[in-house]
Amino acid sequence: MTTAIPFIPSLIIATLLVIGGIITLIGSLGLLRFPDFTGRIHATTLGNTLGTIFVLSASIILSWYLDDRVFFHEIVIVIFLFITSPVSAMLLMRSYTLRQERIENS
Amino acid sequence: MLDYISLATQFAALCFALGIVICTIRIFKGPSPQDRAWGLDAMYVNCMLLILTLGMQFRTSWYYDIALLIALFGFVGTAALAKFLLRGEVIEP
């Protein structure tokens, strides 16, 4: 390690990273395991956004202690993902329901 | 002193790589086209998180611009696919 980080912040960063990885893996497993499209979209949106929050907060704390740059990029990524993730989920859900109605009517 | 951050980044990168594998399985197996499009969406988020953890592993600040670009273009691709599945056209006249 070139730049030493104190013990307690490194433990906090490691815990946040492990929690984010586990939550994202659970969301991806829901993408594989659920039987329906609605269940899949539910599991994956929750897992992805929560995992992104945890990993990017770990990155913010790490850049705070390394002190070589401002943490502007992480906040921009979080805001952008919070805006765009529900939009894409809603568009795909609308196309799925329209397709189901078309199949039932024909 | 044990380097906890390096161990944690390796574990998180393993989790995200497994997530990418699961999304690939869903893309190849999905019964409806919406499933495949949603697999691509989950896959770009996993790839972005993998690149962020690599940037935290190597202690550089060059990876954040790549992650921001992946988030931007991934959303544009998913929105275009959803619009095409919704109407049959990407840009409506």
Side-chain angles (χ1 to χ4, degrees):
Chain A
M1 265 169 72
T2 57
T3 56
I5 296 176
F7 178 68
I8 303 294
S10 76
L11 210 60
I12 293 172
I13 292 167
T15 312
L16 283 174
L17 267 174
V18 168
I19 291 173
I22 288 174
I23 286 176
T24 315
L25 187 61
I26 287 171
S28 301
L29 275 176
L31 183 66
L32 188 64
R33 293 291 292 171
F34 270 98
D36 199 7
F37 179 68
T38 57
R40 280 174 212 143
I41 212 167
H42 161 74
T44 317
T45 42
L46 289 179
N48 279 343
T49 46
L50 254 183
T52 309
I53 289 174
F54 278 114
V55 171
L56 285 172
S57 56
S59 176
I60 283 173
I61 297 173
L62 183 65
S63 73
W64 185 287
Y65 274 97
L66 283 182
D67 201 14
D68 58 343
R69 62 189 181 82
V70 292
F71 45 92
F72 180 66
H73 286 84
E74 286 95 340
I75 298 174
V76 169
I77 290 174
V78 163
I79 292 172
F80 186 76
L81 213 76
F82 262 54
I83 293 171
T84 58
S85 177
V87 173
S88 57
M90 218 163 63
L91 277 172
L92 274 174
M93 203 66 225
R94 267 174 67 195
S95 73
Y96 182 73
T97 49
L98 270 177
R99 184 190 179 88
Q100 291 300 113
E101 283 179 0
R102 215 173 293 156
I103 287 174
E104 284 174 2
N105 286 330
S106 65
Chain B
M1 194 179 88
L2 202 60
D3 194 359
Y4 290 107
I5 299 177
S6 178
L7 285 176
T9 46
Q10 285 171 12
F11 177 76
L14 182 69
C15 287
F16 300 142
L18 278 176
I20 292 171
V21 169
I22 290 168
C23 295
T24 314
I25 292 172
R26 180 49 70 192
I27 287 171
F28 277 110
K29 219 177 79 175
S32 68
Q34 281 85 13
D35 276 314
R36 297 170 203 264
W38 188 248
L40 267 180
D41 191 275
M43 194 170 163
Y44 91 76
V45 175
N46 272 322
C47 292
M48 192 195 72
L49 290 174
L50 181 59
I51 285 174
L52 280 173
T53 50
L54 282 184
M56 291 176 70
Q57 170 91 35
F58 297 140
R59 305 287 170 81
T60 64
S61 64
W62 296 349
Y63 286 80
Y64 295 96
D65 303 328
I66 308 172
L68 191 57
L69 279 179
I70 286 179
L72 274 165
F73 287 112
F75 168 67
V76 171
T78 309
L81 271 175
K83 289 291 283 183
F84 180 72
L85 291 175
L86 191 63
R87 300 276 185 196
E89 284 176 351
V90 178
I91 301 169
E92 297 175 6

XYZ file of all heavy atoms in Angstrom, chain A residues 69 72-74 77, chain B residues 48 51-52 61-73:
186
model
N -8.679 13.745 -5.302
C -9.662 14.301 -6.223
C -10.953 14.522 -5.446
O -11.111 14.028 -4.343
C -9.912 13.349 -7.390
C -10.471 12.053 -6.927
C -10.528 11.047 -8.018
N -11.110 9.842 -7.484
C -12.409 9.652 -7.362
N -13.255 10.568 -7.762
N -12.877 8.545 -6.858
N -16.932 13.991 -7.263
C -18.018 14.515 -8.089
C -18.600 13.428 -8.985
O -19.810 13.362 -9.195
C -17.480 15.672 -8.929
C -18.485 16.315 -9.819
C -19.555 17.006 -9.274
C -18.384 16.233 -11.191
C -20.484 17.600 -10.085
C -19.314 16.824 -12.007
C -20.371 17.508 -11.455
N -17.733 12.545 -9.483
C -18.175 11.531 -10.431
C -19.163 10.558 -9.807
O -20.136 10.163 -10.430
C -16.974 10.751 -10.951
C -16.148 11.528 -11.921
N -15.171 12.416 -11.514
C -16.156 11.551 -13.262
C -14.626 12.937 -12.584
N -15.190 12.438 -13.661
N -18.912 10.158 -8.551
C -19.784 9.176 -7.914
C -21.193 9.725 -7.738
O -22.177 9.023 -7.985
C -19.223 8.781 -6.551
C -18.018 7.891 -6.620
C -16.753 8.689 -6.544
O -16.808 9.896 -6.813
O -15.719 8.100 -6.216
N -22.937 9.738 -11.008
C -23.358 8.393 -11.418
C -24.595 7.961 -10.633
O -25.545 7.402 -11.194
C -22.200 7.389 -11.229
C -21.094 7.654 -12.241
C -22.676 5.968 -11.401
C -19.885 6.807 -12.027
N -20.583 -1.819 -15.054
C -20.192 -0.526 -14.491
C -19.659 -0.696 -13.070
O -18.634 -0.113 -12.699
C -21.403 0.398 -14.516
C -21.098 1.826 -14.234
S -22.589 2.722 -13.877
C -22.985 2.095 -12.267
N -16.179 -2.218 -13.143
C -15.136 -1.255 -13.487
C -14.859 -0.315 -12.318
O -13.707 0.059 -12.058
C -15.541 -0.509 -14.776
C -15.354 -1.439 -15.967
C -14.721 0.740 -14.985
C -15.831 -0.899 -17.245
N -15.914 0.044 -11.554
C -15.701 0.878 -10.362
C -14.852 0.161 -9.325
O -13.963 0.756 -8.710
C -17.046 1.268 -9.765
C -17.761 2.428 -10.446
C -19.142 2.583 -9.865
C -16.994 3.693 -10.241
N -8.016 7.285 -10.652
C -9.281 7.974 -10.875
C -9.666 7.971 -12.346
O -10.490 8.757 -12.763
C -9.192 9.412 -10.370
O -8.238 10.104 -11.125
N -9.043 7.101 -13.148
C -9.330 7.100 -14.584
C -10.552 6.275 -14.914
O -11.101 6.392 -15.999
C -8.147 6.560 -15.363
C -6.931 7.395 -15.244
C -6.853 8.643 -14.712
C -5.620 7.049 -15.655
N -5.577 9.078 -14.763
C -4.789 8.137 -15.329
C -5.071 5.926 -16.258
C -3.441 8.126 -15.611
C -3.727 5.921 -16.534
C -2.919 7.007 -16.219
N -10.967 5.400 -14.018
C -12.032 4.459 -14.344
C -13.424 5.070 -14.186
O -14.385 4.526 -14.668
C -11.931 3.229 -13.455
C -10.785 2.319 -13.826
C -9.497 2.593 -13.441
C -11.015 1.183 -14.582
C -8.452 1.774 -13.788
C -9.987 0.349 -14.921
C -8.707 0.652 -14.521
O -7.683 -0.161 -14.873
N -13.525 6.214 -13.488
C -14.848 6.773 -13.209
C -15.482 7.369 -14.452
O -16.698 7.295 -14.632
C -14.745 7.807 -12.103
C -14.326 7.181 -10.820
C -13.006 7.175 -10.429
C -15.266 6.545 -10.027
C -12.616 6.555 -9.263
C -14.892 5.927 -8.865
C -13.567 5.934 -8.489
O -13.194 5.299 -7.345
N -14.650 7.952 -15.339
C -15.194 8.475 -16.593
C -15.742 7.345 -17.461
O -16.789 7.483 -18.096
C -14.112 9.233 -17.349
C -13.527 10.342 -16.507
O -14.289 10.883 -15.700
O -12.336 10.626 -16.640
N -15.009 6.197 -17.448
C -15.483 5.039 -18.219
C -16.807 4.538 -17.667
O -17.733 4.198 -18.412
C -14.421 3.916 -18.193
C -13.069 4.463 -18.624
C -14.821 2.784 -19.085
C -11.956 3.484 -18.451
N -16.937 4.522 -16.317
C -18.185 4.060 -15.701
C -19.339 4.995 -16.041
O -20.456 4.545 -16.329
C -18.007 3.960 -14.185
N -19.072 6.303 -16.047
C -20.121 7.274 -16.377
C -20.570 7.110 -17.828
O -21.782 7.126 -18.126
C -19.588 8.682 -16.144
C -20.587 9.828 -16.177
C -21.666 9.583 -15.156
C -19.881 11.128 -15.898
N -19.602 6.875 -18.733
C -19.957 6.676 -20.142
C -20.757 5.400 -20.331
O -21.703 5.363 -21.135
C -18.699 6.638 -21.004
C -18.126 8.005 -21.360
C -16.886 7.853 -22.187
C -19.148 8.793 -22.132
N -20.385 4.323 -19.585
C -21.134 3.067 -19.702
C -22.561 3.252 -19.222
O -23.514 2.756 -19.834
C -20.414 1.947 -18.929
C -19.180 1.497 -19.692
C -21.319 0.754 -18.719
C -18.416 0.430 -18.999
N -22.747 4.029 -18.125
C -24.105 4.276 -17.626
C -24.926 5.043 -18.661
O -26.081 4.695 -18.933
C -24.039 5.045 -16.311
N -24.323 6.078 -19.275
C -25.037 6.880 -20.278
C -25.464 6.040 -21.471
O -26.648 5.973 -21.826
C -24.137 8.013 -20.769
C -24.096 9.317 -19.996
C -22.907 10.119 -20.435
C -25.349 10.080 -20.275
N -24.503 5.343 -22.089
C -24.826 4.634 -23.325
C -25.654 3.389 -23.069
O -26.433 2.969 -23.930
C -23.546 4.295 -24.087
C -22.924 5.485 -24.724
C -21.728 5.978 -24.276
C -23.559 6.136 -25.763
C -21.165 7.094 -24.849
C -23.002 7.248 -26.340
C -21.791 7.738 -25.882
